[in-house]
Amino acid sequence: MKHPFSDVSAFRHDPLELFKKHSSPDAAPLVRLNLGPSPVYLVTDAALAKTVLKADESSIDKGRLVHKLRTVIGTSSITLSGKEHQRRRAIIHQHLARGIMNDFVPQIAGLIRRQAALLVRESSFDAHEITAPLALRIVVALLFGPGALTPADESALMEAVHVAEEEMADSLFRILPRTPWRSLVKRRELRKSRAIMGTVVDRVRNRACSGTLLQALKELDLSPDDMRDEILLLLLAGHHTTGNAAAWLLYYLATEPGLAARLAEEMQAITSDSGEIDPLKLPKAELSLRVAREVLRLYPPFYWFSREVRTPRDLGGIRLKRGTSLIISPWQLQRNDRYWKDPDSFRLDRAYNTPAFMPFGLGPRACVGIGLGLLELQLLALELAASCKLEVLSSVPAGRPTPQVTLLPPRIELRLRPRTEERTWRYVA
């Protein structure tokens, strides 16, 4: 019989390998993980994972593993359940859905071009060091309007967000408590980080434009602290998630033969006479959408979700008691040869209408930014492929990502050069 803590070390130091170890085709639908005296199961079956994620919250809901995040992001949508969660989610979803085809395309495309105009002057750059701040600028622009974030604010916010993400990762993976002294040090660091983020958020709120997501959030009539927590969540969720995936997208643009040329042709087909992307044609830009989805399959922003059984029930042939934790790993399901041919390879001939594809989750508690995340990746692929040439300078294949709250890419060193002088001038303009 295994020790009840025998998986703790693997869970803290290499959860990807732990999840992969239990992803064989003959694995049971539910695999017990030895993470302490309370029962924790990894859901290895895609259909069962879909059932769990779509279950009514009176039966299966966010549990103690998610509630640990309250020390970092407070009472925001990710830690709430019930009517208040639904109320906040509805407002955010409505605004994002309305804006994607109206305002977001030119805003995001413009930010990508301005970033490219800077990169073509550099001898090389690390992909994630560029895509993470770019994703943050996009989120801030949609939250507060263009130009709301100054370079000084961006630098302060990036550093504070980094501290918060490290604490979130430690909270999620920690099974045993810290020593009192270490706990005190970490609490001080987190308080300082939250204070910096709060100061920047308050300052940026004063520069917010009408018609932004901030104005929509004001309809919720939240307290100042709750409003700050909700904005902080949006910054955290939209920052490294898309930024991580975008780094891998640049890697594949540089390493997949012929991919950039095909994307450039697709860009030409959906560009209006003014030289801008026609938002109404984007849903038909199948190649760039497939590129975005395949990157998200290989490197899902959230590589595991947690749910908790609220009422005793039978699941996967096991009677689960109240308080049982369920872990669902998109990384495990989306790289499982039970569901995918050649699962570790980048391929654009796949079908994604399967329960085994869930980079943003499924059901009523799926990430509200699904459409926005796909749009950012799609536009990045189209804009850069049409205008630039990417060359990878670091090792191929690239190393494995580092699991924290999200999957942090390894160093991917790239060089960006313009395809034509004409397109470069469009960037500068």
Side-chain angles (χ1 to χ4, degrees):
M1 185 175 179
K2 289 187 176 181
H3 190 277
F5 292 91
S6 60
D7 288 325
V8 168
S9 179
F11 186 62
R12 281 187 57 79
H13 297 108
D14 196 353
L16 300 183
E17 188 60 33
L18 177 65
F19 298 154
K20 183 180 178 181
K21 185 174 73 173
H22 297 298
S23 64
S24 62
D26 58 348
L30 290 177
V31 175
R32 178 73 181 258
L33 299 180
N34 296 293
L35 299 176
S38 299
V40 179
Y41 288 89
L42 176 68
V43 184
T44 68
D45 179 79
L48 189 60
K50 180 179 179 181
T51 298
V52 170
L53 292 174
K54 290 193 170 186
D56 187 270
E57 62 186 20
S58 63
S59 173
I60 298 176
D61 195 17
K62 303 168 186 175
R64 62 183 182 277
L65 294 178
V66 173
H67 293 162
K68 287 181 176 183
L69 300 180
R70 286 178 175 167
T71 59
V72 182
I73 52 178
T75 52
S76 54
S77 296
I78 198 171
T79 58
L80 288 169
S81 298
K83 291 183 179 179
E84 181 60 16
H85 168 260
Q86 295 166 15
R87 185 175 78 100
R88 297 189 190 189
R89 180 186 174 87
I91 289 290
I92 298 170
H93 181 268
Q94 182 183 29
H95 181 83
L96 292 181
R98 183 173 62 244
I100 278 178
M101 288 308 168
N102 296 330
D103 304 320
F104 294 172
V105 170
Q107 282 191 57
I108 296 172
L111 287 168
I112 292 171
R113 291 178 205 149
R114 282 193 285 276
Q115 182 66 72
L118 298 173
L119 291 179
V120 294
R121 302 167 188 169
E122 301 291 334
S123 58
S124 67
F125 62 93
D126 173 63
H128 189 245
E129 288 181 359
I130 296 302
T131 56
L134 176 61
L136 180 63
R137 286 184 215 116
I138 290 171
V139 173
V140 169
L142 302 186
L143 266 172
F144 307 109
L149 193 68
T150 67
D153 286 338
E154 178 183 306
S155 178
L157 201 56
M158 287 287 292
E159 181 60 31
V161 164
H162 178 68
V163 172
E165 286 177 330
E166 285 190 338
E167 178 61 18
M168 287 171 68
D170 190 80
S171 297
L172 285 172
F173 291 118
R174 179 165 292 281
I175 304 298
L176 301 175
R178 294 187 180 114
T179 64
W181 171 249
R182 188 63 178 162
S183 295
L184 178 62
V185 171
K186 283 296 182 180
R187 283 199 301 270
R188 286 175 177 170
E189 290 177 354
L190 183 58
R191 279 198 300 268
K192 181 180 178 181
S193 171
R194 281 181 58 84
I196 292 171
M197 286 187 284
T199 300
V200 173
V201 165
D202 289 343
R203 192 159 53 233
V204 171
R205 282 171 62 181
N206 294 328
R207 309 184 193 120
C209 305
S210 60
T212 59
L213 180 51
L214 176 64
Q215 301 301 321
L217 287 174
K218 287 181 178 179
E219 297 177 25
L220 296 169
D221 195 27
L222 301 175
S223 71
D225 285 344
D226 283 352
M227 174 67 87
R228 182 181 289 183
D229 287 343
E230 203 63 49
I231 292 171
L232 178 56
L233 168 65
L234 291 168
L235 293 174
L236 286 167
H239 163 221
H240 260 320
T241 53
T242 307
N244 293 350
W248 288 105
L249 188 145
L250 297 188
Y251 170 78
Y252 287 111
L253 282 180
T255 57
E256 285 295 307
L259 177 58
R262 293 167 60 196
L263 285 166
E265 291 177 3
E266 184 170 81
M267 175 70 165
Q268 187 175 9
I270 65 169
T271 300
S272 65
D273 293 339
S274 66
E276 300 293 333
I277 291 175
D278 183 347
L280 298 179
K281 293 181 179 179
L282 264 176
K284 298 179 181 178
E286 183 64 24
L287 177 61
S288 55
L289 198 54
R290 283 184 171 275
V291 169
R293 285 173 173 158
E294 183 66 355
V295 167
L296 290 169
R297 183 190 70 83
L298 286 168
Y299 302 99
F302 300 104
Y303 59 97
W304 67 281
F305 312 116
S306 171
R307 295 291 182 265
E308 189 170 298
V309 176
R310 300 193 64 179
T311 58
R313 61 175 296 167
D314 293 319
L315 202 66
I318 299 175
R319 183 67 175 176
L320 301 179
K321 65 180 182 179
R322 176 183 172 86
T324 298
S325 292
L326 301 171
I327 290 178
I328 295 167
S329 170
W331 169 274
Q332 180 262 332
L333 292 170
Q334 293 175 185
R335 288 174 174 261
N336 192 325
D337 56 13
R338 189 192 312 181
Y339 306 107
W340 309 92
K341 183 179 180 181
D342 195 16
D344 293 324
S345 296
F346 181 88
R347 296 179 54 163
L348 299 177
D349 59 349
R350 304 188 188 276
Y352 299 96
N353 56 341
T354 164
F357 182 68
M358 54 174 72
F360 295 95
L362 294 171
R365 294 175 291 282
C367 176
V368 74
I370 294 175
L372 178 60
L374 279 170
L375 178 65
E376 290 181 54
L377 294 175
Q378 192 178 11
L379 290 175
L380 184 65
L382 289 166
E383 286 285 349
L384 291 190
S387 304
C388 303
K389 295 179 181 179
L390 272 164
E391 178 187 358
V392 63
L393 304 179
S394 51
S395 60
V396 178
R400 288 184 67 188
T402 300
Q404 289 191 353
V405 177
T406 56
L407 290 179
L408 297 181
R411 181 170 181 83
I412 299 173
E413 190 174 0
L414 300 169
R415 179 184 294 135
L416 188 70
R417 292 293 178 263
R419 284 187 180 275
T420 66
E421 287 298 321
E422 178 183 353
R423 189 72 175 179
T424 304
W425 285 116
R426 186 163 92 88
Y427 283 147
V428 177

